[in-house]
Amino acid sequence: MGFFGKIFGHKKAQTNSVKRTPIKPGQAIVPKNENVIKLLDLKNYIDSLMDAERYIAKSDYLEKIKEYGAVIDFFVVLKSSGMLESFCRINETSMSEVQNTITAFTDIEKLIDRHNEEFITKTMVREKEYLDNILKAIDPAVSLDDDQRRVVLTDEDYCLVIAGAGAGKTTTVAAKVKYLVDKQGIKPSQILVVSFTNKAVNELKEKIRGTLGIECPIATFHSTGNAVIHVNTPDEKLNIVDNSRLYFVIRDYFRGSVMQNESVVNKLIMFFASYFDAPYEGDDFNGFFNNIAKANFSTMRSDLEDFKCKVIDARTKKSVTIQNEVLRSH
């Protein structure tokens, strides 16, 4: 079989017409060209994604889509060389269907983003009553705003939530956990909630485990990392140090390593000096710090002692952040 025979999927060129096998009534046309079969498979896969009544994360489709890169390249070459129309005619394939599939492959992320936006918009309406009452057990007065509801419904691999202190991030996490258990069928043991401080962890435990009754693991980053180390290296005897122990660890490190290296000490002095009177040029560190010791570095807060400024929304009379986020706690 020659080069064009391989491309067009037939062994013998026809001078006037293409010889085709008779098709029985009701019998579907099955393409025999391997690239056409793969392209149709890709089209069906993309159609199934667009028809899915769920949020589609990038991990759900990106790796699968990459498998079709070679077949798309094949059709792009045909199109750029002006041979696509002839190829489609010989293989009884819709040229517009091929072109639409190429476009869908190229714009797949935009298509999925549009699908997910439509899914969230519809689900916010469909599940309004559920979302209105999702945290009533914790506090009857709590009502998630639209941004919080989007966080709850978003099922992406990585979802970054940015909000000021007191804007309701912890509340949103509690709602997210309940939604995953109630609506997505996720087992509580498969949900890991981590936070930075013991205070935040205790608050999450009180809301999620205590009030909502969802027994999922909740821990700080430190204890989670420590648990991972113990699972993988059981013989490794590591523990999370408290603040007093941490002080002595850092002190011993400075005495045994940092302070023994004059170059490192000078660089460290310059680093801290940059916070007082940057930039400093010279070698008289004693004179420099004598001047620093006499300087006044009092802050507005220290001068005004307990002065506090509370921003109040004129319409709702609720406390808000400088980014106009309504505070749920103070």
Side-chain angles (χ1 to χ4, degrees):
M1 183 184 297
F3 173 74
F4 289 102
K6 291 180 180 179
I7 291 181
F8 291 103
H10 63 100
K11 295 182 179 180
K12 186 177 180 180
Q14 306 295 319
T15 55
N16 298 319
S17 62
V18 178
K19 184 178 181 181
R20 296 183 173 88
T21 303
I23 302 299
K24 297 179 181 179
Q27 180 181 352
I29 298 176
V30 180
K32 295 182 179 180
N33 184 279
E34 181 180 354
N35 288 292
V36 175
I37 295 173
K38 289 181 178 179
L39 189 78
L40 292 177
D41 183 49
L42 171 61
K43 177 185 179 300
N44 292 334
Y45 177 69
I46 294 177
D47 288 344
S48 68
L49 288 176
M50 297 300 104
D51 293 337
E53 285 294 327
R54 64 183 179 87
Y55 191 100
I56 301 173
K58 284 182 169 55
S59 60
D60 292 338
Y61 69 92
L62 279 184
E63 289 302 318
K64 177 74 174 176
I65 286 293
K66 289 178 182 177
E67 296 176 8
Y68 294 97
V71 70
I72 290 296
D73 290 341
F74 172 84
F75 282 98
V76 168
V77 170
L78 283 181
K79 183 178 180 180
S80 61
S81 62
M83 300 168 63
L84 181 59
E85 183 178 359
S86 177
F87 174 89
C88 291
R89 183 175 65 255
I90 292 173
N91 286 276
E92 300 179 324
T93 302
S94 169
M95 184 172 174
S96 62
E97 195 172 71
V98 171
Q99 292 175 324
N100 290 339
T101 305
I102 293 174
T103 301
F105 176 88
T106 305
D107 298 335
I108 186 65
E109 293 196 47
K110 292 181 181 178
L111 292 174
I112 296 297
D113 287 344
R114 189 184 309 152
H115 166 88
N116 288 337
E117 177 61 28
E118 292 174 355
F119 168 79
I120 289 177
T121 302
K122 290 190 295 185
T123 306
M124 286 176 66
V125 175
R126 185 175 65 247
E127 299 289 352
K128 182 180 184 304
E129 184 177 356
Y130 171 80
L131 295 171
D132 285 345
N133 298 281
I134 191 170
L135 294 178
K136 292 302 181 185
I138 294 177
D139 184 352
V142 171
S143 178
L144 302 181
D145 59 30
D146 285 350
D147 287 335
Q148 289 175 304
R149 296 179 189 221
R150 284 180 169 275
V151 173
V152 171
L153 297 175
T154 297
D155 198 19
E156 191 52 79
D157 304 305
Y158 305 97
C159 178
L160 176 63
V161 180
I162 303 175
K169 295 187 295 296
T170 302
T171 300
T172 306
V173 170
K176 179 81 174 185
V177 170
K178 183 170 174 57
Y179 174 80
L180 290 174
V181 173
D182 290 348
K183 297 295 184 178
Q184 299 297 320
I186 306 297
K187 295 180 180 180
S189 61
Q190 299 300 308
I191 301 173
L192 173 62
V193 180
V194 292
S195 189
F196 290 101
T197 65
N198 288 321
K199 181 181 178 181
V201 165
N202 291 333
E203 183 180 353
L204 287 165
K205 286 180 178 178
E206 180 182 349
K207 290 181 177 180
I208 298 173
R209 287 186 185 172
T211 308
L212 298 179
I214 300 174
E215 292 295 326
C216 65
I218 305 173
T220 62
F221 283 94
H222 301 87
S223 58
T224 301
N226 195 35
V228 172
I229 291 173
H230 279 303
V231 168
N232 290 278
T233 54
D235 297 332
E236 190 79 31
K237 302 300 181 183
L238 297 176
N239 289 299
I240 303 169
V241 300
D242 56 24
N243 289 336
S244 60
R245 173 61 180 161
L246 190 60
Y247 166 79
F248 289 107
V249 170
I250 295 175
R251 185 201 65 180
D252 293 343
Y253 171 73
F254 267 79
R255 285 180 175 176
S257 299
V258 176
M259 302 305 290
Q260 303 301 317
N261 189 323
E262 182 179 354
S263 174
V264 173
V265 171
N266 288 337
K267 289 179 180 178
L268 193 61
I269 290 174
M270 292 304 299
F271 170 76
F272 287 113
S274 67
Y275 283 89
F276 296 111
D277 192 16
Y280 172 72
E281 295 180 0
D283 298 322
D284 186 7
F285 291 115
N286 288 331
F288 173 74
F289 276 101
N290 283 332
N291 292 329
I292 292 297
K294 298 175 183 177
N296 177 18
F297 291 104
S298 60
T299 63
M300 180 183 292
R301 182 183 179 90
S302 63
D303 285 340
L304 299 178
E305 297 183 347
D306 292 329
F307 172 80
K308 293 182 180 179
C309 178
K310 185 182 292 185
V311 182
I312 305 296
D313 183 86
R315 182 175 60 83
T316 64
K317 304 303 180 183
K318 294 182 178 180
S319 299
V320 296
T321 68
I322 58 175
Q323 293 185 334
N324 204 37
E325 301 158 325
V326 176
L327 302 188
R328 299 176 184 275
S329 61
H330 301 271

